[in-house]
Amino acid sequence: MSLIKKDSRPLYMLVKEKIDEKIENGKYKPGDRLPSEAKLSESFGVSRATLREALRVLEKEVKVNRQQGIGTFITEKLALFKSGIEELNSITQTIEAMGLKAGTVDLELKMNQQVEDLNKEFELNKNDKMVILHRTRTADDEPVAYCEDYLPQRLVPNNITEDDINISLLSFLQEESNIYISYAVADIVPVIADKSLVAKLNLNIGDPILLLKQMHYDDRDNPVLYSKNYFRSDKFEFHVLRNRG
């Protein structure tokens, strides 16, 4: 007996919706292999042809992955933000490109700091001061990234306040200091969430995180900004375009 109630829509779409429901309520989890076509078609009370059409639609929506001779698998959870690391966009731009509202919480600005580990990279003297900025970035009020930014204090106005930089830091430097960042050298490091990051990003201890460490340079090749950005790996995915030399 069919488990699908009478409906004017095509039968395969009703089967597809039933599978959608099982994915949403956690019955089928990312990476799970679905029962065989024979068992699924029997459980839904439909033909294999109808079931296959439902699976075809789910595969088109990237919700399942069918592997010939192996089975059909629930697609691993997709990242909300996908970006080529060769594209130097601010986090604000990345979030807004998805049609979401970019925000900042827990912003902390520290002036007159000395960071000896970065003096050489910035070509600073021992007594030169730096500005350190810590903040959590949000997408539609949900925390998605935690940022630590370091830049020489001489590059920013003396009367700078936290309210002044409640926007994209790249935009701030261009508008307020006439500094145009043209490229960055980046490293991606997989890390796990510690107590500090758990609180800032609403994660669990040990959850995977993507750490993007970048030194930014202006159009004259001067280092102007060093950043350590911790991205939730369930929200961000970075890819790299590699050309054969």
Side-chain angles (χ1 to χ4, degrees), residues 26-243:
K27 175 68 175 179
Y28 296 147
K29 296 179 174 59
D32 283 355
R33 183 168 67 176
L34 293 178
S36 67
E37 290 186 358
K39 289 184 178 180
L40 277 178
S41 59
E42 182 180 356
S43 66
F44 288 121
V46 299
S47 68
R48 289 196 185 186
T50 297
L51 175 67
R52 287 169 184 160
E53 186 64 14
L55 294 177
R56 185 191 65 79
V57 176
L58 287 167
E59 186 174 36
K60 187 175 181 181
E61 294 179 355
V62 202
K63 293 179 179 178
V64 303
N65 175 27
R66 291 191 288 178
Q67 301 181 28
Q68 185 68 33
I70 300 177
T72 300
F73 297 82
I74 302 299
T75 304
E76 296 290 345
K77 190 172 182 180
L78 298 177
L80 180 60
F81 306 100
K82 291 190 176 183
S83 176
I85 195 173
E86 70 275 6
E87 302 169 2
L88 184 55
N89 293 323
S90 68
I91 296 177
T92 297
Q93 290 173 314
T94 302
I95 293 173
E96 292 179 344
M98 292 294 297
L100 304 177
K101 179 183 177 182
T104 300
V105 296
D106 300 329
L107 189 151
E108 181 182 7
L109 175 66
K110 296 181 180 180
M111 305 286 289
N112 301 309
Q113 302 295 304
Q114 287 187 317
V115 186
E116 294 183 3
D117 291 344
L118 294 177
N119 282 351
K120 183 177 180 180
E121 285 76 2
F122 280 109
E123 301 174 0
L124 299 177
N125 296 320
K126 185 172 64 173
N127 296 324
D128 286 340
K129 305 297 183 181
M130 298 194 69
V131 174
I132 302 177
L133 177 65
H134 293 175
R135 54 186 174 160
T136 299
R137 304 308 310 276
T138 61
D140 280 357
D141 300 322
E142 181 180 8
V144 294
Y146 174 67
C147 306
E148 298 177 2
D149 298 297
Y150 305 80
L151 61 162
Q153 190 157 306
R154 58 180 169 76
L155 299 180
V156 301
N158 292 328
N159 59 348
I160 184 177
T161 67
E162 292 179 352
D163 290 337
D164 294 326
I165 47 180
N166 199 21
I167 58 172
S168 162
L169 191 53
L170 302 189
S171 298
F172 170 81
L173 289 173
Q174 186 170 347
E175 295 171 6
E176 300 297 330
S177 302
N178 199 30
I179 295 173
Y180 179 77
I181 293 178
S182 59
Y183 68 97
V185 177
D187 293 309
I188 300 179
V189 183
V191 298
I192 60 174
D194 58 16
K195 289 183 179 180
S196 174
L197 292 172
V198 161
K200 291 175 171 58
L201 295 176
N202 192 25
L203 296 171
N204 297 312
I205 291 288
D207 280 351
I209 295 177
L210 295 174
L211 169 59
L212 185 63
K213 299 190 291 186
Q214 295 187 98
M215 179 62 82
H216 301 74
Y217 296 84
D218 65 13
D219 48 6
R220 296 183 179 180
D221 297 326
N222 297 310
V224 296
L225 169 67
Y226 178 73
S227 63
K228 294 171 66 177
N229 296 329
Y230 297 85
F231 295 95
R232 284 180 51 167
S233 60
D234 62 332
K235 300 297 182 182
F236 282 86
E237 178 179 309
F238 297 102
H239 59 264
V240 181
L241 175 64
R242 303 177 67 198
N243 294 314

